[in-house]
Amino acid sequence: MKGIGEFLPFQNPLNTFVHNNPMQPFERFAFPDALLEISKRYRAKSIWSEHRFRKMFQKGRIEASDLRFAIEEHNRKGGRQLDEMELIHTKPIDAGVLIPKSLRVAQRWERGALEPFNRRIHDLLIPFISVLLDQGMSDTRAPFGKNFSLWGAFCLWVDALPGAVQDGYSEIKKAVQYYKDLNLNSSQIIEAELKQVDLPLELHRDYLEEILFDLPGWGGMIQRLAAVPEQAPIFSWDLDLLDWLAVRLLCEHSLHRAYIGIYKRLPEIDEKKRLSPEAKKAALERLMVWQAASERAIQRSLISRMRTLPTLQEPQREAQILFCMDDREESLRRRLELVAPEFETFGVPGFFYVDMKFKGYGERRRRNQCPPVVQPRRHVDEVALDGSIPGTMRHTYAVQFYSASRTELRGLLLALMGGLITFVPMMLKASPRLELRLGKFLGSLLKSKRKTKFILNGENGFSLTEQADIVRSLLVNHGPGQKLAKVVVILGHGSTMTNNPFRQAYGCGACGGNHGAPNSRAFCEMANDANVRAILKSRGFLIPDETVFVSATHDTCSDEIELKSDLSPPSAAIWASLKEALDEARKGHVMERMRWFADAPANLSPERALEHAIIRSRDLAQPRPEYGHSRVAACIVGRRSRYRGADLDRRAFLVSYDPAIDFDGTVLEQSVMGTVPVAANIALDYYFSTVDTNRLGAGSKLPLNVTSLLGVMTGSKSDLRFGLATQMTEIHEPLRPSMIVEATRENVEKVFFGNDRLKRLTVGKWIHLIRLDPDSDYYEQYTACGWQEVFPTKNRVGRANV
Amino acid sequence: MFDVQNLVAFIVLSHFLTVLIAGSCIFFGVKLGERAVLRWAMTTASSHVLLKAILFALCWQGGHWGQVFDLGSWLHIHGYSLDFRFALDIPGTSFLLLSSFILLVITRFSLPSFVKDPGRDRFFFVLSLLGFGVTLISLSGNLDVHCIGWELTGLASVFLISFFRHNPRAVENSFRALIYYRMGDVGMLAATAVSHHHGSAHWLGASLLVFGTLAKSAQLPFSPWLPRAVEGPTASSAAFYGGVAIHLGVITLLRRPEIWMDVSALRIAMGILGLATLLFAVSVGRSRPDAKTHLAYASMAGVSLLYIELSLGWLNIALVHLCLHAFFRTWQFLRASSLLQDFQENPVAYDWLKNRTEREPIRSAWRRKFLIWSVHGFFVDAIQIRLTSRILNFFLTIVRWEESISSELSFRMRGKR
């Protein structure tokens, strides 16, 4: 029973949603074993079925050379040998064969009896748990105070139920009363219940896990809130996962007893019709060969694109732009360099090393503007220059309106008034372009032009030395170092969209899913500060006086780029030409985005495309405002000059790193630690949500229903959904991410095998690690048999410096 | 120039053609391109709004209220003939305009949602079915035509609840809705029969009519299907349970006050049922921690208020209230997914929620029991399904018995061969 909830999905409440690998607990296994374990527990397909891979093969996405390479790699490991004939021409394997037979009693009665049985239990448990964990969505008083455990609350709940009303309720009441009289705690209850099960002892744990994973979303949320109660936005309790398991087990067995009268017999456990473990392993190996082949196809495509470079002018030192490493920025950077190659771009972690707890103007709560693994300690506030505090009246009215609109009399009056008012937005819905123009007009009228400033070194803020450290480390690790231009733009990004419970998933992952604007502005204020520059000068890091740091933001959904600070004349001229170049780049970038949307108007001109992007972001009805990180396949850590201008089709995270200045690997370590795990999380999150969207993802966005302010359910009652929705993953190919690192072998091994998680990911083959030699065009991949060269070119000058 | 009768015929026929074309595309497996389907849906929806606006304007100007005319008849059996009789009155025509406007908004709203969805054609077909049904209900001159529309809208609602066919819970909930609808339909059909026998103002016909409207309007005792009906896509939930289908019962009664207004016992019963439903919907709705069922109960409460207004005889107020309620609830349903965002962007929201005195935990056992009962919908659901399943089990045993006999026989016959 110990650690039974270990493999429940790792997810945060929706307001702090951030891309985590929900299957992170499985990372301790090697990837193929992890897939088996995931199939077993979640009863989900953890890899694409063979017919999908074969379709990709027929379409030419996977070439014969990729398949042969994957087969050879598999055959080298020993064991059963595969060949092309078998993979292409025999009966295709469906990934569902990896799912083991259910141990639960209900499915032995007759075919299809498990589903309705589940529903009866869910009809009781889901209202219970959603009301218990409710953060305040309902208008009534909370039924239980903080000093109730989950089991205690359940006892009270069941007490209040009338026994005769539903099959099984009387049985549940009897069982609860029995255990209450004995005054057992939940682990003892579980043991007592297990005695009634007619399975052999070694299957008991599997049985318990299967029961627990019947509602993995709720289980995972309970476990998360039990471990970190502060994650809950408003109310938190003392929760225990074992209580939940005891409750669930009790309901299951009580309902058996209630139904046994109807079915009157308990058939034996059926051993046939499921694959033996050996057969499952063989099936999985075949599917893994296909998976490896499809990943190799992507790697081949990316590396060949990195080798076909347009000839571009060398960057002059007039302006430099630091983008977030996000894959969505890849096309904007590439277009900018094509249009204006005199500007230099860099890819840095989007929080710009400013790990802060930020409180914006008018906000009451702080949010962590940094990657989830980093614990920020410093506080930064945004206040108005004139010291005013914004009024909260209209916000209070809004919340009261929400609450009152569902009551009787107040609801009636509000419905009458509201009906009159909502006529206008409803009419506007019929014509989105009109709505856009009107919205712009009203926005310009109502937008508060209040000037604000950041307080960086207030109470609990960043001291000047810390600020100097931040500026220096970012510029040295990822940026231009001391070779600074006159204008350095720090471009953060975020995403505006509406009517989307997964909004946080589209934000800047390095800022915890929030908008990157505060970090960009904070960094610029630090770097522009004369005191900070003085400290840096005393340390030997000289920032030229004429260099100005400019803060900007890119909205990845509506593709608007906004400048945040004022500039004096010489920089203003450079900024003007930069702005023109950015506008031009935006147009190309938007056209690239629009071709993926099936409902974008045909034959768009660039101006119309930009307008359409804005409409998509403001449209209440749009479930696909942007495709987020869909299609991401790689993370490239290295010098931009190696692949400047390569068309990577928005499929890679790009981190700037210069191996020439890194002798002992410390710079690589700092560069990789903040970026590669984030990239891995995002890619793996997309992988699992794509392969089985019903069990490992959130299904379609359309029937999703926000519950308890913690998460979403499908329809009126269901498990709490984790993972991503279909509308976010439909164009994604499930792949393990490839990390292409330009560094010496020594440094790569030091960094990737020096850190626990990175080592697990690399050795367990959750990510592909490819090393690009800094001195030649030589790629090698880390495999089980050590480093092996991949994708050799015909004309390679010089040997690799290993 | 424009003959009102011809316009009504044209409207009904165009709706029928829309349904026919959409249905045949699905039936014959014709796959149209994304943009073609979207453009077609928007064109039909906007043209319908235009036609109905013209109809409303013509009636208003020409004073055609109360006009009844026949557009043909069908089925002549034993002296009964199904006459396609249409009547123009203020509640009907204004609801027609309102509902087609809401459907236009819903169509526009759902266009991006179904872009790559395999169920896209199904969705628009069912929406057109709703449009057709609502047209028949709003313009019908006798209960026969009304019943056709009534059944079609019930069918459309069931299809949309089970839109996500692979979700077993959605399919089960659609069956539950079907059961409630059929019970109401029994009342409707019986009322039609009585109206043919005894003429319109008869107490039995009136009670059956009111009984028939209760299921669609989710009034007690036919309430439990509504919160379970939010399994479908948001757009359809908004159209059906926010704006259009939920008000059909009230519109039926508003259009025929001469049938039930004089039966005072019936009006008292309506008022009592409306009040009971109001209290039920508000207590259960307030305890719901999820957005869509919360709204479903709020909708139920709104409709119960309409029933109370009807029972008091305030017909004009009821009509106005209905229109405003329809707009409001549709809008709320459409925005249901923004809840999290609204709370996040509102700086005082979380603190306000935390400090609410109403959130103080309950200490008394009775209040807790009341809350738990209201979370489970006072078990109206469970009790009714238990009763129904007893009846269904009886038929199920007969079916099983028949299956076992037929398999035994076929085994023997195969053995003989």
Side-chain angles (χ1 to χ4, degrees):
Chain A
M1 228 183 299
K2 215 170 83 158
I4 193 150
E6 186 185 357
F7 295 114
L8 285 172
F10 181 78
Q11 54 159 353
N12 281 335
L14 261 187
N15 63 316
T16 51
F17 178 97
V18 75
H19 273 298
N20 275 318
N21 181 6
M23 304 293 129
Q24 192 159 344
F26 290 94
E27 277 174 12
R28 69 145 90 121
F29 299 109
F31 192 72
D33 300 328
L35 291 188
L36 269 179
E37 295 285 325
I38 292 173
S39 275
K40 176 172 140 196
R41 286 193 176 76
Y42 286 86
R43 317 191 64 74
K45 300 185 184 184
S46 51
I47 192 172
W48 258 0
S49 299
E50 202 160 19
H51 71 93
R52 293 202 72 160
F53 286 122
R54 285 188 188 176
K55 228 190 325 193
M56 281 179 71
F57 187 72
Q58 278 156 17
K59 276 201 226 163
R61 299 296 300 267
I62 304 178
E63 284 181 11
S65 60
D66 304 319
L67 191 56
R68 248 176 274 135
F69 178 87
I71 292 176
E72 273 167 27
E73 201 183 337
H74 171 263
N75 288 345
R76 229 179 298 157
K77 279 192 233 146
R80 200 169 140 257
Q81 305 289 304
L82 293 169
D83 61 23
E84 261 182 73
M85 285 301 298
E86 186 184 339
L87 283 180
I88 303 177
H89 295 296
T90 53
K91 183 157 168 269
I93 297 180
D94 183 81
V97 301
L98 300 173
I99 303 175
K101 198 165 180 62
S102 169
L103 292 170
R104 290 168 64 186
V105 173
Q107 61 94 26
R108 295 191 232 159
W109 288 331
E110 59 178 344
R111 274 194 73 204
L114 189 59
E115 253 310 311
F117 183 81
N118 265 347
R119 279 205 295 275
R120 292 296 151 265
I121 301 186
H122 293 178
D123 279 348
L124 172 62
L125 281 187
I126 293 177
F128 164 66
I129 193 69
S130 61
V131 166
L132 183 66
L133 295 181
D134 184 15
Q135 298 296 306
M137 259 185 84
S138 64
D139 279 329
T140 51
R141 295 167 62 164
F144 306 108
K146 286 206 188 187
N147 44 353
F148 279 104
S149 69
L150 202 146
W151 170 249
F154 186 69
C155 292
L156 285 178
W157 191 276
V158 164
D159 247 350
L161 296 176
V165 121
Q166 177 93 292
D167 295 331
Y169 277 12
S170 48
E171 287 289 341
I172 296 179
K173 283 170 81 92
K174 264 197 290 192
V176 165
Q177 190 60 44
Y178 171 71
Y179 286 119
K180 238 176 27 176
D181 291 339
L182 289 179
N183 207 5
L184 299 178
N185 69 8
S186 40
S187 17
Q188 293 164 329
I189 295 175
I190 295 175
E191 278 172 31
E193 286 287 325
L194 274 178
K195 290 203 187 78
Q196 305 170 19
V197 169
D198 64 343
L199 293 168
L201 196 63
E202 59 269 12
L203 287 179
H204 276 187
R205 181 157 173 120
D206 287 345
Y207 179 68
L208 280 183
E209 272 185 348
E210 189 176 341
I211 299 278
L212 184 63
F213 275 80
D214 178 52
L215 288 173
W218 284 112
M221 184 58 70
I222 292 175
Q223 183 168 259
R224 183 92 180 121
L225 291 179
V228 189
E230 305 81 53
Q231 282 282 355
I234 302 165
F235 300 106
S236 56
W237 304 258
D238 220 350
L239 292 171
D240 187 2
L241 189 67
L242 281 181
D243 280 352
W244 173 246
L245 181 57
V247 164
R248 179 73 185 74
L249 197 61
L250 196 145
C251 288
E252 172 106 2
H253 290 172
S254 312
L255 214 56
H256 284 165
R257 286 194 287 273
Y259 279 4
I260 214 88
I262 304 177
Y263 286 95
K264 296 222 194 314
R265 57 190 184 97
L266 199 60
E268 288 305 310
I269 305 174
D270 184 6
E271 281 301 342
K272 57 178 167 74
K273 277 206 280 200
R274 284 280 164 176
L275 297 186
S276 62
E278 296 79 30
K280 271 197 209 149
K281 264 208 144 67
L284 181 64
E285 277 171 5
R286 248 174 85 162
L287 293 171
M288 280 302 299
V289 167
W290 277 110
Q291 178 76 30
S294 84
E295 284 158 2
R296 181 166 167 88
I298 289 293
Q299 285 167 356
R300 177 173 44 77
S301 162
L302 278 176
I303 289 179
S304 81
R305 283 164 189 247
M306 281 167 74
R307 284 177 172 151
T308 43
L309 303 176
T311 32
L312 291 174
Q313 184 194 354
E314 282 294 310
Q316 317 296 311
R317 210 92 61 73
E318 283 215 332
Q320 289 159 336
I321 311 156
L322 274 66
F323 287 87
C324 178
M325 66 187 224
D326 203 291
D327 53 314
R328 293 170 282 181
E329 304 282 36
E330 187 272 327
S331 54
L332 188 60
R333 280 177 72 176
R334 173 174 23 103
R335 295 266 167 191
L336 181 65
E337 284 161 351
L338 281 177
V339 161
E342 65 268 19
F343 298 134
E344 207 178 349
T345 66
F346 298 87
V348 307
F351 73 113
F352 306 110
Y353 284 14
V354 181
D355 52 336
M356 57 177 176
K357 281 172 142 42
F358 178 70
K359 191 159 88 165
Y361 175 64
E363 286 171 20
R364 295 274 184 93
R365 297 196 157 200
R366 295 187 176 280
R367 38 178 212 267
N368 292 357
Q369 295 271 148
C370 57
V373 288
V374 174
Q375 277 295 44
R377 305 140 300 142
R378 300 288 176 238
H379 292 195
V380 173
D381 288 5
E382 182 183 12
V383 296
L385 276 179
D386 52 7
S388 61
I389 304 177
T392 51
M393 288 305 280
R394 76 180 158 101
H395 295 300
T396 320
Y397 285 153
V399 191
Q400 288 178 337
F401 175 87
Y402 158 78
S403 158
S405 70
R406 284 134 173 105
T407 60
E408 314 95 330
L409 278 177
R410 282 178 291 169
L412 166 65
L413 294 172
L414 283 170
L416 293 176
M417 285 191 311
L420 281 172
I421 301 172
T422 57
F423 183 73
V424 174
M426 295 258 275
M427 275 209 39
L428 287 177
K429 271 287 142 235
S431 161
R433 292 187 67 186
L434 183 63
E435 190 186 1
L436 179 68
R437 298 220 160 80
L438 202 66
K440 268 196 198 152
F441 174 67
L442 286 175
S444 60
L445 284 183
L446 298 172
K447 198 199 293 245
S448 60
K449 300 265 194 270
R450 202 175 298 272
K451 298 241 182 239
T452 58
K453 66 173 183 195
F454 277 30
I455 298 184
L456 291 168
N457 51 358
E459 186 189 326
N460 256 339
F462 291 98
S463 69
L464 283 177
T465 32
E466 281 170 345
Q467 294 181 25
D469 281 335
I470 288 175
V471 173
R472 184 167 186 275
S473 14
L474 187 76
L475 292 178
V476 164
N477 287 350
H478 300 284
Q482 295 203 47
K483 309 194 200 95
L484 291 168
K486 295 201 193 74
V487 175
V488 179
V489 182
I490 310 286
L491 193 78
H493 72 98
S495 190
T496 50
M497 55 183 62
T498 170
N499 221 16
N500 193 345
F502 294 104
R503 199 176 64 141
Q504 295 279 101
Y506 295 91
C508 181
C511 302
N514 297 311
H515 207 286
N519 295 64
S520 140
R521 195 165 153 195
F523 184 85
C524 289
E525 289 199 10
M526 288 181 194
N528 283 332
D529 190 346
N531 300 328
V532 171
R533 291 196 186 188
I535 294 181
L536 286 173
K537 187 165 171 192
S538 70
R539 290 208 200 145
F541 185 84
L542 183 66
I543 300 182
D545 285 333
E546 53 185 4
T547 299
V548 175
F549 287 82
V550 171
S551 161
T553 51
H554 174 217
D555 187 318
T556 47
C557 189
S558 63
D559 270 324
E560 294 163 306
I561 301 185
E562 217 182 296
L563 167 65
K564 291 277 181 195
S565 51
D566 307 316
L567 287 168
S568 59
S571 320
I574 302 178
W575 173 252
S577 64
L578 181 59
K579 197 140 173 281
E580 210 180 296
L582 273 172
D583 258 342
E584 196 56 45
R586 258 175 77 206
K587 291 191 182 137
H589 160 76
V590 153
M591 297 294 280
E592 270 189 50
R593 274 185 63 207
M594 286 300 131
R595 71 173 207 264
W596 286 103
F597 294 122
D599 62 338
N603 303 328
L604 278 176
S605 69
E607 291 75 25
R608 289 287 305 275
L610 283 172
E611 197 183 77
H612 182 75
I614 300 180
I615 290 176
R616 282 190 92 94
S617 76
R618 311 259 192 272
D619 192 353
L620 210 63
Q622 180 61 260
R624 300 172 184 83
E626 64 159 313
Y627 268 128
H629 296 282
S630 275
R631 304 180 60 243
V632 71
C635 177
I636 303 178
V637 180
R639 286 173 290 189
R640 181 68 177 157
S641 51
R642 293 298 298 260
Y643 58 95
R644 193 162 187 252
D647 183 1
L648 298 174
D649 204 9
R650 301 170 61 128
R651 302 197 79 162
F653 291 94
L654 305 176
V655 183
S656 294
Y657 159 74
D658 191 353
I661 59 167
D662 186 20
F663 306 113
D664 53 356
T666 42
V667 182
L668 180 65
E669 188 178 350
Q670 289 187 342
S671 307
V672 160
M673 287 317 295
T675 56
V676 167
V678 172
N681 279 346
I682 292 176
L684 290 170
D685 200 356
Y686 269 85
Y687 174 90
F688 287 110
S689 301
T690 311
V691 287
D692 191 340
T693 187
N694 288 321
R695 301 286 308 183
L696 300 174
S700 173
K701 250 187 215 173
L702 302 176
L704 289 184
N705 184 7
V706 178
T707 307
S708 314
L709 286 184
L710 284 175
V712 283
M713 295 197 297
T714 297
S716 55
K717 269 196 203 93
S718 85
D719 189 23
L720 207 61
R721 305 307 296 255
F722 53 93
L724 305 167
T726 326
Q727 280 87 357
M728 294 160 79
T729 58
E730 58 197 3
I731 58 171
H732 185 71
E733 291 165 23
L735 300 163
R736 290 172 289 176
S738 307
M739 309 299 176
I740 303 178
V741 184
E742 182 195 6
T744 61
R745 195 194 278 186
E746 190 192 341
N747 284 345
V748 168
E749 282 180 354
K750 197 195 283 191
V751 172
F752 275 83
F753 298 138
N755 174 271
D756 277 337
R757 181 156 187 243
L758 284 177
K759 185 169 180 190
R760 270 203 308 266
L761 291 177
T762 315
V763 173
K765 286 305 240 174
W766 285 73
I767 61 177
H768 293 293
L769 181 57
I770 296 180
R771 185 183 81 83
L772 167 62
D773 192 73
D775 299 318
S776 65
D777 186 20
Y778 171 81
Y779 289 89
E780 59 180 7
Q781 179 168 352
Y782 181 78
T783 62
C785 321
W787 290 97
Q788 303 207 321
E789 187 185 1
V790 289
F791 308 113
T793 47
K794 311 273 191 317
N795 42 343
R796 193 176 7 153
V797 179
R799 264 244 61 195
N801 238 349
V802 166
Chain B
M1 186 185 49
F2 255 135
D3 194 350
V4 174
Q5 293 194 23
N6 290 345
L7 188 58
V8 168
F10 186 64
I11 288 177
V12 173
L13 269 175
S14 69
H15 267 292
F16 182 64
L17 274 175
T18 315
V19 173
L20 206 61
I21 294 175
S24 338
C25 282
I26 299 179
F27 191 69
F28 294 111
V30 174
K31 282 262 168 251
L32 298 172
E34 290 286 352
R35 298 204 176 95
V37 167
L38 305 182
R39 219 176 303 149
W40 171 82
M42 271 309 277
T43 320
T44 42
S46 355
S47 56
H48 283 146
V49 176
L50 201 61
L51 284 173
K52 287 157 194 174
I54 294 175
L55 179 66
F56 188 78
L58 276 180
C59 293
W60 189 273
Q61 270 199 327
H64 294 282
W65 306 125
Q67 202 177 58
V68 181
F69 46 87
D70 272 2
L71 286 176
S73 62
W74 191 35
L75 278 188
H76 299 270
I77 317 173
H78 290 302
Y80 166 78
S81 70
L82 175 60
D83 300 318
F84 290 119
R85 187 165 300 158
F86 293 96
L88 296 167
D89 48 37
I90 299 183
T93 347
S94 45
F95 184 72
L96 192 62
L97 186 58
L98 169 89
S99 63
S100 45
F101 176 70
I102 290 182
L103 282 179
L104 172 67
V105 173
I106 296 292
T107 310
R108 163 80 223 344
F109 194 87
S110 54
L111 292 179
S113 311
F114 293 99
V115 161
K116 281 194 193 181
D117 203 306
R120 175 199 68 198
D121 298 335
R122 247 192 309 144
F123 180 77
F124 288 117
F125 167 67
V126 176
L127 221 52
S128 63
L129 208 61
L130 175 72
F132 184 46
V134 169
T135 309
L136 285 181
I137 291 175
S138 316
L139 291 177
S140 63
N142 58 5
L143 279 177
D144 309 57
V145 176
H146 171 92
C147 269
I148 300 177
W150 193 259
E151 304 257 352
L152 285 176
T153 46
L155 216 57
S157 180
V158 168
F159 285 150
L160 274 176
I161 298 174
S162 63
F163 183 76
F164 296 103
R165 291 186 285 204
H166 301 291
N167 180 356
R169 185 175 277 273
V171 175
E172 185 200 333
N173 289 350
S174 71
F175 275 136
R176 291 200 183 193
L178 184 64
I179 293 173
Y180 285 103
Y181 288 157
R182 294 316 276 161
M183 287 200 263
D185 289 347
V186 164
M188 232 2 130
L189 287 171
T192 316
V194 169
S195 76
H196 277 285
H197 266 276
H198 294 279
S200 59
H202 189 260
W203 65 270
L204 182 62
S207 338
L208 286 170
L209 183 70
V210 172
F211 175 78
T213 62
L214 289 179
K216 268 268 164 44
S217 313
Q219 302 298 296
L220 284 178
F222 299 115
S223 307
W225 65 270
L226 183 59
R228 287 173 176 270
V230 293
E231 299 281 341
T234 312
S236 76
S237 303
F240 279 73
Y241 316 117
V244 179
I246 194 112
H247 296 117
L248 286 175
V250 181
I251 279 294
T252 311
L253 295 176
L254 270 178
R255 293 191 68 219
R256 297 174 174 81
E258 68 275 2
I259 297 184
W260 55 271
M261 279 283 271
D262 296 325
V263 188
S264 48
L266 187 60
R267 283 170 61 172
I268 295 175
M270 267 169 64
I272 293 176
L273 273 179
L275 196 62
T277 313
L278 180 68
L279 294 172
F280 170 75
V282 172
S283 348
V284 180
R286 288 180 69 173
S287 68
R288 287 266 152 201
D290 63 296
K292 283 191 185 170
T293 51
H294 213 160
L295 279 175
Y297 281 107
S299 220
M300 197 193 292
V303 176
S304 65
L305 280 172
L306 285 171
Y307 268 84
I308 295 177
E309 286 164 12
L310 283 182
S311 70
L312 291 171
W314 301 344
L315 298 182
N316 293 332
I317 295 180
L319 182 61
V320 172
H321 183 196
L322 190 152
C323 297
L324 296 177
H325 185 251
F327 278 130
F328 188 56
R329 288 288 171 228
T330 311
W331 184 246
Q332 278 193 313
F333 261 105
L334 290 179
R335 288 198 81 245
S337 298
S338 308
L339 201 70
L340 218 54
Q341 199 167 337
D342 290 343
F343 272 94
Q344 268 185 294
E345 287 174 356
N346 188 327
V348 300
Y350 287 138
D351 292 333
W352 188 85
L353 282 177
K354 197 163 195 162
N355 296 334
R356 255 201 316 185
T357 46
E358 297 100 74
R359 289 299 296 181
E360 280 297 311
I362 296 176
R363 308 215 186 273
S364 100
W366 285 112
R367 293 189 75 147
R368 186 179 295 131
K369 191 162 184 170
F370 182 77
L371 175 64
I372 293 173
W373 278 51
S374 60
V375 171
H376 282 280
F378 295 103
F379 303 105
V380 178
D381 197 350
I383 298 173
Q384 290 179 343
I385 287 298
R386 211 153 183 228
L387 281 173
T388 329
S389 63
R390 294 275 182 267
I391 301 174
L392 287 178
N393 272 343
F394 171 66
F395 289 107
L396 210 63
T397 2
I398 296 184
V399 166
R400 282 212 182 110
W401 179 73
E402 189 225 333
E403 262 177 13
S404 65
I405 290 196
S406 64
S407 70
E408 184 72 21
L409 283 176
S410 70
F411 177 70
R412 290 214 181 150
M413 286 177 63
R414 248 184 287 135
K416 274 190 188 160
R417 227 173 264 149

